[in-house]
Amino acid sequence: MRGVGVGYHDRQQHEPGGQCGGSLHGGHRDDRRDPGAARDLPPEAEALRGDLTDPVSVGAALRGVDTVFLVWPGVDTAHAPAVIEAVVERARYLVYLSSAGIDDARPVQADPVNQMHADVERVIVGSASPHAAAWTLLRRTSFAASLLEWGDQVREDVVREAFGDASRTLVHERDIAPVRTVRVLLDGSHRGERLYLSGPQPHTQVEQVRIIGEALGRTVLFEEVSADELRAHMRGEGWTEADFEGMVTAYAAMSRAPRPVWDTVGRVTGHAPRGLAEWVRDHEASFR
C-alpha cells in the first residue's frame, strides 16, 4: 500500500495528516506547497509539491498512490471538485478529515466551516467518475489545537472571548493519527462509513480556560466579550456578516445543549481518548 497525505502544511491542520505519514504500509508521500519545509516527516516519507488550488499538481503527486488522507484547509471549496476528481482517478481509497458539526438533515449548514466540510463531502460521495474511490469520512469534533490561538492571552492570565457557556468536546490530534488508527482506516475496514471522533467529555469555554490554568499551575481568568465586539473582530479579519451570523448561531447552539461524545477513539485505537489537561501538558511550551 502506498499512501499520501494531502493538505496545506500549517500547525493545526497538518498535525493529523503528518502523523499519518509514518504509519502507511509500503511508503508515504506528503503533498504540500513547499516540499523544502518538510522537516518533520519520517525518513521513509517522500515530500512532493502539491497545491490544492492547482489540481494538476495534486494529480502529479498521486502517481503510484492508492490511498489518500485529505485535509481541506479553508472555507473556499472552488477547487474541491477538480482536486477530488484528480484523487479518485488515481487512488482506490480516500479518507477525508471532516467535521462532526455537519447536520445531514440541512441542505445548507448553519456556519461556513461546516458548510465547507459538507460541500467537500458531497463531492467525494457523489463523484461520478467511473474509477471513483472508496471513501471514509472522518467526522471529528473541534481540535484542541484550536486553543493555541489563546496563547498570548494565556500568558497574560486573562482570556477574552465570547460565548463562555459554549461547550465543545475537543479532540487531541494524537487521537486522530496514531498508527493503529491509520492502519484500521486505510486497510479498508471502514469503507463507506462516517466515523465520529471526539474527546472524552465536553467543556465550556470558561472550563477550558480553567483547565489550561490548572495544567500550567496558575490561575487564568475568562473574561466575556460582547457579540458586538466579536462582530467587529471578525469584520477586521475579513469575515462577512453572513459568516458572523452563522458563527453566532453555531456558538449559541453549543451554549444550549451539551456536545455529544462518541466512543470511536476507544473502539478504533484500543485506548480512551486523551483529555484536555493532557493536551495542555503536551503543548505547555506554547502557553509559557
Side-chain angles (χ1 to χ4, degrees):
M1 177 183 290
R2 189 164 178 83
V4 62
V6 182
Y8 291 135
H9 177 59
D10 67 39
R11 184 172 197 172
Q12 291 181 27
Q13 288 279 21
H14 184 74
E15 278 187 313
Q19 293 187 40
C20 284
S23 64
L24 300 181
H25 305 280
H28 171 263
R29 293 178 181 174
D30 183 81
D31 185 10
R32 55 177 84 190
R33 277 181 162 178
D34 180 10
R39 303 182 184 90
D40 57 344
L41 297 179
E44 66 269 27
E46 175 187 3
L48 297 175
R49 182 189 178 278
D51 185 339
L52 293 182
T53 65
D54 179 9
V56 173
S57 72
V58 174
L62 294 177
R63 293 192 183 100
V65 167
D66 57 12
T67 60
V68 172
F69 184 86
L70 176 64
V71 179
W72 200 264
V75 295
D76 185 357
T77 59
H79 298 282
V83 168
I84 292 167
E85 182 68 19
V87 171
V88 301
E89 284 183 354
R90 293 163 177 82
R92 295 183 301 176
Y93 188 32
L94 169 62
V95 178
Y96 176 59
L97 187 62
S98 187
S99 168
I102 292 175
D103 183 349
D104 290 314
R106 295 180 61 114
V108 177
Q109 301 301 309
D111 65 86
V113 174
N114 282 307
Q115 185 63 54
M116 174 268 289
H117 285 297
D119 290 343
V120 175
E121 282 194 6
R122 192 174 299 112
V123 176
I124 292 171
V125 174
S127 174
S129 169
H131 309 292
W135 49 263
T136 297
L137 304 178
L138 195 58
R139 287 184 170 181
R140 47 81 191 169
T141 56
S142 298
F143 289 124
S146 64
L147 302 185
L148 292 170
E149 296 181 354
W150 287 348
D152 289 340
Q153 297 188 77
V154 169
R155 282 185 282 275
E156 296 177 357
D157 294 329
V158 178
V159 172
R160 302 181 72 253
E161 188 64 82
F163 304 106
D165 290 336
S167 67
R168 295 188 294 168
T169 313
L170 299 169
V171 62
H172 196 308
E173 62 273 5
R174 287 171 56 199
D175 284 331
I176 295 178
V179 171
R180 291 177 64 188
T181 298
V182 176
R183 292 192 175 183
V184 168
L185 289 172
L186 297 189
D187 71 6
S189 58
H190 291 283
R191 295 188 180 207
E193 294 184 29
R194 293 166 174 83
L195 294 180
Y196 287 80
L197 298 182
S198 73
Q201 65 184 106
H203 296 291
T204 67
Q205 296 201 101
V206 172
E207 292 169 340
Q208 292 163 27
V209 170
R210 175 182 55 77
I211 291 169
I212 291 172
E214 290 175 349
L216 297 174
R218 66 179 197 263
T219 299
V220 181
L221 302 178
F222 183 93
E223 182 178 312
E224 185 94 16
V225 302
S226 69
D228 287 340
E229 289 178 275
L230 176 62
R231 178 187 281 109
H233 176 74
M234 290 182 66
R235 281 177 176 168
E237 292 190 339
W239 294 81
T240 67
E241 188 66 22
D243 292 333
F244 169 77
E245 293 299 335
M247 295 302 289
V248 168
T249 299
Y251 273 89
M254 287 186 262
S255 300
R256 287 193 300 269
R259 299 294 89 193
V261 175
W262 292 280
D263 66 353
T264 313
V265 169
R267 287 191 292 105
V268 171
T269 69
H271 68 76
R274 296 167 173 86
L276 182 56
E278 180 176 352
W279 179 87
V280 177
R281 291 191 292 270
D282 288 344
H283 297 79
E284 182 176 344
S286 298
F287 296 103
R288 294 292 187 184

